[in-house]
Amino acid sequence: AMRDFKNRLDMQQKRSSFAHTDEFNHCIVIYGKPGIGLTTAARKVAACLYKFGMVANENPVIATYDDIVKKDEQGTVTAIQNLFQSAMNGILIIDDFHRFQDDNEMAAGMQAVDLLQKAYVEAKHQVTLIIAGYAIELKALMDVKPKFARLFVSNSIELMGYSAEEYVKILHMIAEQRGYVIDDMADAALERNIKGAMKLPNFKHIYYVLDDLLEPAITNTANKASSKRRATEDDYTIIRQESFALNENGKSLEELYEELNSLTGLKGVKEQIKNQIQVQKTIQRAEREGKELPGNQGTLHMVFT
């Protein structure tokens, strides 16, 4: 997307017989699913635009819904004017733009979108606007705000996610940033697990890597090290495969439960497993937070008759 943007910019600048036109706007929309890296991408795009020589100010102004939408319309107008003034000859990034979307056309967020479009036009191309947000909400917003949508018609970037192998690499990188090392022997099992999770419609991308894999593994590593009489530094810093508590077939808990739910009947089994999952998550959360648990938590033994 940045290559295409740069080529169009070069072509426009080399057509010396034409002054600056509205042939394409310098606005960019970046959208995708939660946890896919939207904010990071917006910042990287801003850095590219500065390197292209498009803007004079290297540091973008970054805002969110709460910085823009105020209690009354005049407050919102003033907030937008101040943001555009601060971003003059530079870049304005509005993050989490999906929050502006509302089914009610008169909602404060939807009205703010119109005000943002008006402010961009009045700035006369002296502000480059980058917005980032969740795909479903942003696409719905663009459908009902055609004038605003036209600002981004040439520069729409959708992030599709990463391969399972790339997610494992990201997992290693984040762990190292926190002072841990993941045993390479766990990579194959982690990749299988992530491939299974990626099939789910609510896959959380980086949030899955962080919340469902890394955080529990760090807790399990700490618990195992603390139970040893003579734990070494490696016991506290190396995260091994067993600490990820991956099931043998590599599928995520969510995928296994979805398979169970897809079966006809078995209502009692489905309810029992659902309740047991909630109980175990409560126990694990309490253990992570260092809370005491009741003495009798029951067992996981089952009888099928």
Side-chain angles (χ1 to χ4, degrees), residues 59-202:
N59 300 313
V61 175
I62 301 175
T64 64
Y65 179 95
D66 295 327
D67 299 317
I68 294 170
V69 179
K70 304 302 178 182
K71 292 181 180 179
D72 55 73
E73 184 175 332
Q74 185 53 50
T76 300
V77 170
T78 302
I80 291 174
Q81 288 175 343
N82 291 340
L83 283 172
F84 271 80
Q85 188 60 42
S86 300
M88 199 61 65
N89 298 314
I91 297 170
L92 173 60
I93 296 176
I94 305 179
D95 204 4
D96 291 338
F97 206 87
H98 51 271
R99 293 181 60 193
F100 288 84
Q101 195 274 332
D102 197 294
D103 293 334
N104 179 5
E105 184 71 18
M106 300 307 294
M110 296 295 276
Q111 291 181 323
V113 172
D114 293 331
L115 295 171
L116 284 166
Q117 190 265 338
K118 181 181 177 183
Y120 175 80
V121 172
E122 290 176 349
K124 298 180 179 179
H125 296 281
Q126 295 183 70
V127 173
T128 297
L129 183 61
I130 300 175
I131 65 172
Y134 299 164
I136 293 175
E137 293 89 338
L138 262 183
K139 289 178 179 179
L141 186 153
M142 296 297 188
D143 285 342
V144 296
K145 295 291 184 184
K147 286 185 178 180
F148 185 72
R150 291 204 73 249
L151 298 179
F152 308 94
V153 68
S154 301
N155 306 303
S156 179
I157 305 171
E158 183 170 10
L159 303 187
M160 302 304 295
Y162 311 89
S163 67
E165 183 181 3
E166 287 171 331
Y167 280 117
V168 172
K169 289 181 180 179
I170 292 170
L171 182 59
H172 276 272
M173 290 164 56
I174 297 173
E176 288 175 10
Q177 289 170 1
R178 296 188 179 186
Y180 298 97
V181 175
I182 296 175
D183 187 350
D184 291 342
M185 297 296 290
D187 286 0
L190 285 168
E191 192 171 326
R192 289 194 301 270
N193 178 276
I194 293 171
K195 280 182 179 178
M198 288 171 67
K199 297 176 184 177
L200 300 175
N202 61 343

